Amino acid sequence: MVLKVLPFSKEQRSVYSVRCKVFNIMANGQEENNTEKKEEPVTEEVKEDKPVENAENDAKTEEKKESAEPTLELLEQVKDQIEFYFGDVNMHRDKFLNEQVKLDEGWIPLSVMLNFNMLASMTTDCEVIVKSLESSELIEISEDKKKIRRSPKFPLPVYDEEYRKAQEAKTVYVKGFPQNDTNILKLKAFFKQYEPYENIVMRKYLDKEKVLHFKGSIFVQFKTLENAKAFMARESVKYEDTELIRKWSAEHAVEQANEREERKQRIQEAKNKKGDNTKNENKEIESVDLPKGTVLHMKGMPADCTRQIIKSSLGEFEVPIAYINVDTDNKEAWVRFQEENGAKTVLEKLTDNKIKINETEITCRLLENEEEEKFLDEAKKDISNMRQRNKRNDSRKNRGGHKGGRKRPASSNAGKPPAKVAAVE
């Protein structure tokens, strides 16, 4: 019999991707990071528990033994922490611990275990650690009470797709915890009443300064599917006075996939809209038709020269002017005439291409070819922008808003052929 594999739809691939991500978060003990930058986040537990490899702390450990009798609460915390280290979830991703268990038939010296910061913050007394593990089924203690290991009675599972699905099925998303005053120890204490669970993952994100912040939501992986169902079946679960939001991990994964797809659609719609605006602007520019042979460049202008002075000086040629731009710093000016070949007509009437303005002899020339095309293209853009501004002003006026004047903006193209096209007054 031949099995035919049907391809996933786009939506199915998105949901599957999110589900795999959630499983990896649970399996790797990592927080979910909500930043656009793809940086690997670290859970509070892992961040505080990163061991220092090959450290020898036997002498220091002996010096730091606590003299006070450990409380039952402390013994329980130490036991839970060590069982977490050797549990299915942590062993799946803890490279350091996996390397250590290969060295001596799974036995790990207590001096090595004390390099885990979370455990060391609870106790540095090896006797306390040994005492805490006396009731543990998962952890064995060596005869000399200097080493521990995961009991061979509990072999590690095969971390395959079937395992991933089973882990996801008993994982719950919980939201509503305080963002500023929550840590893993507080969460463990809170979920003590809902045991047994295997792992708690605090969801965090990186801010612009690369600092991790708690999002107020977590993933809880229960020991069995029945344990997870019992937690979800509760009528109410409150943290302090806040009712917590509870969802199955798979349900949360689908919602995240849908939200991500919606964001993509919004971004694409915005891009399309921007593209449409650009097309409209280009059409508006293309609709502007400016005649050729109309731009006269004037060099050597007197310092006190104005557009009105230039207009008066060119008035004798009786060729209508469309726009004049003066660059006083470089003593230049550009005159664009309204009629085709208007600049040519004026230039033909000049002697040696020169004209006097305020007793100063000015050299004139005609813009041609690429130089003329570039100037006229800028002029077309400016005309298009001015038309759009006028339309907006008219629209505001019709709505009863601010009328706004049609004031000609100052030139931003000093020293270059201008893009200003307003008619000369």
Side-chain angles (χ1 to χ4, degrees):
M1 179 175 66
V2 178
L3 294 178
K4 185 175 182 181
V5 180
L6 297 177
F8 280 179
S9 67
K10 184 177 181 181
E11 182 180 290
Q12 288 173 326
R13 287 197 302 271
S14 181
V15 172
Y16 181 78
S17 174
V18 173
R19 286 182 174 178
C20 288
K21 180 183 177 185
V22 172
F23 167 71
N24 288 330
I25 290 168
M26 298 304 301
N28 296 334
Q30 295 178 334
E31 275 90 4
E32 183 174 318
N33 187 355
N34 197 33
T35 58
E36 292 303 322
K37 298 181 180 179
K38 302 295 182 181
E39 301 181 19
E40 286 297 325
V42 185
T43 59
E44 182 169 344
E45 191 151 32
V46 175
K47 182 180 179 183
E48 295 179 356
D49 276 4
K50 189 170 181 62
V52 181
E53 297 186 25
N54 303 322
E56 295 296 334
N57 290 336
D58 293 296
K60 293 182 181 179
T61 301
E62 292 298 322
E63 293 175 1
K64 293 181 180 179
K65 284 186 178 180
E66 294 102 355
S67 58
E69 187 70 18
T71 63
L72 291 176
E73 182 183 5
L74 175 61
L75 292 175
E76 191 66 23
Q77 286 180 350
V78 173
K79 174 188 171 183
D80 288 346
Q81 191 62 32
I82 292 178
E83 287 186 340
F84 167 78
Y85 292 145
F86 288 92
D88 294 349
V89 174
N90 191 62
M91 289 298 291
H92 177 48
R93 55 87 185 171
D94 197 319
K95 293 181 180 179
F96 172 75
L97 205 53
N98 275 287
E99 289 173 358
Q100 294 297 312
V101 299
K102 296 175 183 177
L103 302 178
D104 186 16
E105 297 181 345
W107 292 106
I108 308 292
L110 293 178
S111 58
V112 173
M113 295 304 303
L114 285 172
N115 286 299
F116 287 87
N117 293 337
M118 182 69 77
L119 177 60
S121 70
M122 296 176 181
T123 182
T124 56
D125 191 335
C126 293
E127 291 182 4
V128 173
I129 296 175
V130 170
K131 188 172 183 178
S132 73
L133 297 174
E134 288 175 351
S135 61
S136 175
E137 294 182 4
L138 180 66
I139 307 299
E140 286 186 356
I141 305 169
S142 65
E143 290 184 5
D144 61 5
K145 298 185 178 181
K146 290 184 178 181
K147 301 176 183 178
I148 60 174
R149 72 176 179 181
R150 176 175 170 135
S151 173
K153 297 177 184 178
F154 300 96
L156 289 171
V158 177
Y159 297 107
D160 55 12
E161 181 63 13
E162 184 178 350
Y163 173 82
R164 185 197 69 78
K165 289 180 178 179
Q167 295 300 87
E168 182 192 44
K170 58 184 181 179
T171 300
V172 175
Y173 167 83
V174 188
K175 179 180 179 181
F177 300 97
Q179 293 181 313
N180 299 323
D181 188 31
T182 304
N183 57 46
I184 194 68
L185 292 178
K186 289 184 178 181
L187 290 170
K188 284 182 175 181
F190 173 74
F191 277 94
K192 197 78 176 173
Q193 59 190 309
Y194 305 116
E195 287 185 324
Y197 64 86
E198 287 188 324
N199 193 22
I200 296 174
V201 174
M202 299 176 69
R203 300 180 68 233
K204 297 187 178 183
Y205 68 93
L206 283 170
D207 63 15
K208 293 180 180 179
E209 283 71 39
K210 306 295 180 66
V211 178
L212 279 171
H213 298 277
F214 179 44
K215 298 173 76 173
S217 58
I218 64 173
F219 287 110
V220 185
Q221 190 177 97
F222 287 90
K223 196 76 173 177
T224 66
L225 178 58
E226 288 68 30
N227 299 143
K229 287 180 177 179
F231 176 74
M232 291 295 288
R234 289 178 175 272
E235 184 177 344
S236 174
V237 177
K238 288 186 177 182
Y239 185 84
E240 297 175 347
D241 296 327
T242 302
E243 182 69 32
L244 296 176
I245 298 170
R246 292 167 289 158
K247 298 177 183 178
W248 288 106
S249 173
E251 179 187 356
H252 174 69
V254 172
E255 290 180 355
Q256 277 200 319
N258 291 338
E259 289 175 4
R260 186 159 54 247
E261 194 62 35
E262 288 175 4
R263 280 198 300 270
K264 287 181 180 178
Q265 289 179 2
R266 288 196 297 269
I267 292 172
Q268 188 59 48
E269 287 172 2
K271 287 181 179 179
N272 292 340
K273 186 175 181 181
K274 185 177 180 181
D276 291 340
N277 290 339
T278 302
K279 289 179 181 179
N280 292 335
E281 289 175 5
N282 291 337
K283 287 180 180 179
E284 183 73 31
I285 292 170
E286 290 172 2
S287 68
V288 178
D289 185 22
L290 297 179
K292 298 290 186 69
T294 57
V295 184
L296 189 70
H297 176 253
M298 308 176 76
K299 184 72 174 177
M301 310 298 297
D304 58 348
C305 187
T306 64
R307 281 182 290 188
Q308 191 59 44
I309 293 175
I310 296 174
K311 181 182 178 182
S312 299
S313 300
L314 296 173
E316 62 179 285
F317 302 107
E318 298 182 347
V319 179
I321 296 173
Y323 183 73
I324 298 174
N325 185 77
V326 180
D327 178 5
T328 55
D329 293 336
N330 294 298
K331 299 181 179 180
E332 293 178 287
W334 290 263
V335 181
R336 183 171 63 82
F337 295 90
Q338 295 181 18
E339 298 175 353
E340 186 171 356
N341 294 322
K344 283 185 178 181
T345 301
V346 171
L347 201 60
E348 289 171 357
K349 296 179 180 180
L350 297 178
T351 303
D352 297 328
N353 295 341
K354 297 184 185 298
I355 186 174
K356 274 195 175 183
I357 298 179
N358 289 352
E359 302 304 321
T360 300
E361 195 171 69
I362 310 300
T363 301
C364 302
R365 67 182 180 87
L366 178 70
L367 294 193
E368 296 179 291
N369 303 323
E370 292 183 5
E371 192 176 15
E372 180 188 34
E373 287 180 11
K374 184 177 179 181
F375 184 96
L376 293 179
D377 285 343
E378 290 298 323
K380 289 178 181 179
K381 290 179 183 178
D382 231 21
I383 291 173
S384 174
N385 292 336
M386 185 176 65
R387 287 177 178 176
Q388 291 177 18
R389 284 196 298 270
N390 291 341
K391 287 178 181 178
R392 287 194 293 269
N393 289 337
D394 292 341
S395 177
R396 284 196 294 267
K397 202 186 304 181
N398 293 335
R399 293 196 303 267
H402 178 63
K403 294 181 180 180
R406 298 181 182 178
K407 190 175 181 181
R408 180 164 54 229
S411 173
S412 60
N413 294 321
K416 295 183 286 187
K420 306 302 176 186
V421 294
V424 175
E425 296 176 356

